[in-house]
Amino acid sequence: MKKTLLLITYIICLQYMQAQVVDSVNTKSNTLRLDQLKSGNNTYVVYIQDSLNEPKYNFELWERIIDKNATSNKNTLVWNRYQNNKTKFYKYTIAFTNKLEPISEEVYHEDIKDGITVITKKHFVYNGNQMHSNPDSNKHTAKPVEVLDLKNSFNWELDLETLSTLPLAKGKTFAINFYHPGSRIPPKYYDFVVDRSEKLTFNNKPLDCWVVKVVYSKKQSSEFWIDKSTHSVLQMREYFYGKYRYKKLIV
């Protein structure tokens, strides 16, 4: 009886310890699996709801095109954002290495105001563990930016692709160091928890997914449904200040 109780206690403690394991993930940790990231086109429909049962609005279409170069250490993501009201258009060209280390990012933004098209350009260049905006005003029309210590952070605008390369498993937590290019918020670790396993219907088929959750603050959190087979992010649901924003893969 005593041996049985000790065995049960040991199993419970082992499960608790496994659930508490946190893997720190940055550009130097080399724990990501870039082989799980596939070249090709992923298109997401993005919208907002005031509650889960309210009408959808603020529609966008996101086209994310990954080009993995087998002969070099430079890969690219071309990300096009189309708004439903056709007043705004964004194009991002993001370069990264085979270890997802950021190389550069170019942002082209069109905003139509009172019938006039306003164009903004941003160009961020990474050099080692630093980042600066391009001094050429033809390539960067926004305020100059410089970060002298990125703390080995990933480009947050590559978050969907970064999550697809995680070695996900039950009970795991990944503390990922992200930085949003041009942001005043410094690089920071965010805990992405494998919260549960769940089926999600995609193209009329139920797919087994890991649901990864991250809590940014009391009023902001996100959940990502990641296909266990393809490692693609099929859906993201963000909660922010009482509202919900969805990103759903459609192609």
Side-chain angles (χ1 to χ4, degrees):
M1 182 67 178
K2 187 175 181 179
K3 289 183 178 179
T4 302
L5 289 173
L6 287 173
L7 179 60
I8 293 173
T9 303
Y10 171 76
I11 293 173
I12 292 173
C13 290
L14 183 61
Q15 289 176 339
Y16 177 79
M17 290 173 64
Q18 290 175 337
Q20 298 300 308
V21 172
V22 178
D23 291 342
S24 293
V25 182
N26 57 53
T27 58
K28 299 303 179 184
S29 63
N30 298 324
T31 58
L32 298 179
R33 296 285 305 276
L34 199 72
D35 60 296
Q36 296 180 175
L37 180 61
K38 307 297 189 296
S39 292
N41 188 332
N42 290 319
T43 302
Y44 293 83
V45 61
V46 183
Y47 57 85
I48 294 175
Q49 289 178 284
D50 290 334
S51 71
L52 295 178
N53 297 316
E54 292 291 322
K56 306 173 180 65
Y57 64 96
N58 274 26
F59 280 90
E60 289 187 35
L61 200 65
W62 288 11
E63 183 182 46
R64 298 173 75 92
I65 306 166
I66 288 286
D67 182 14
K68 292 177 64 179
N69 194 318
T71 59
S72 75
N73 192 29
K74 184 177 180 179
N75 309 280
T76 57
L77 165 71
V78 176
W79 171 20
N80 298 311
R81 289 176 58 184
Y82 306 92
Q83 282 205 336
N84 190 48
N85 57 16
K86 299 180 180 180
T87 61
K88 291 185 180 181
F89 167 72
Y90 292 84
K91 180 177 181 178
Y92 307 76
T93 304
I94 302 171
F96 56 97
T97 72
N98 290 336
K99 295 180 181 179
L100 278 175
E101 297 166 322
I103 297 174
S104 64
E105 175 171 335
E106 297 179 63
V107 182
Y108 176 86
H109 177 208
E110 287 185 3
D111 189 1
I112 301 176
K113 296 180 179 179
D114 300 323
I116 300 174
T117 301
V118 179
I119 296 176
T120 302
K121 296 179 181 179
K122 299 178 183 179
H123 187 194
F124 305 106
V125 180
Y126 294 81
N127 183 13
N129 201 32
Q130 299 181 355
M131 186 211 75
H132 62 85
S133 54
N134 195 319
D136 187 345
S137 59
N138 290 320
K139 294 185 177 181
H140 188 89
T141 61
K143 291 182 179 180
V145 179
E146 184 178 54
V147 181
L148 297 179
D149 187 2
L150 289 168
K151 304 185 187 303
N152 303 317
S153 59
F154 295 104
N155 185 339
W156 205 342
E157 293 187 335
L158 206 66
D159 63 336
L160 298 179
E161 290 71 26
T162 303
L163 292 180
S164 75
T165 67
L166 291 173
L168 300 175
K170 182 180 179 180
K172 295 199 73 171
T173 297
F174 300 90
I176 307 178
N177 193 13
F178 275 125
Y179 172 69
H180 190 290
S183 172
R184 294 181 180 179
I185 300 174
K188 182 180 178 180
Y189 283 90
Y190 298 87
D191 286 345
F192 289 79
V193 180
V194 182
D195 187 64
R196 61 191 184 276
S197 178
E198 188 171 286
K199 289 187 181 296
L200 182 73
T201 300
F202 180 73
N203 288 340
N204 298 317
K205 295 181 180 179
L207 300 179
D208 286 325
C209 296
W210 292 116
V211 182
V212 177
K213 185 173 183 178
V214 54
V215 177
Y216 306 115
S217 67
K218 291 182 179 180
K219 296 183 179 181
Q220 291 181 285
S221 62
S222 295
E223 290 180 303
F224 301 83
W225 281 256
I226 303 173
D227 185 2
K228 293 181 181 180
S229 176
T230 65
H231 311 288
S232 297
V233 178
L234 302 181
Q235 176 177 278
M236 179 271 226
R237 181 173 65 199
E238 178 185 5
Y239 174 78
F240 62 103
Y241 299 96
K243 298 180 184 292
Y244 294 89
R245 183 170 73 151
Y246 278 89
K247 303 171 189 173
K248 290 190 175 184
L249 183 65
I250 55 176
V251 178

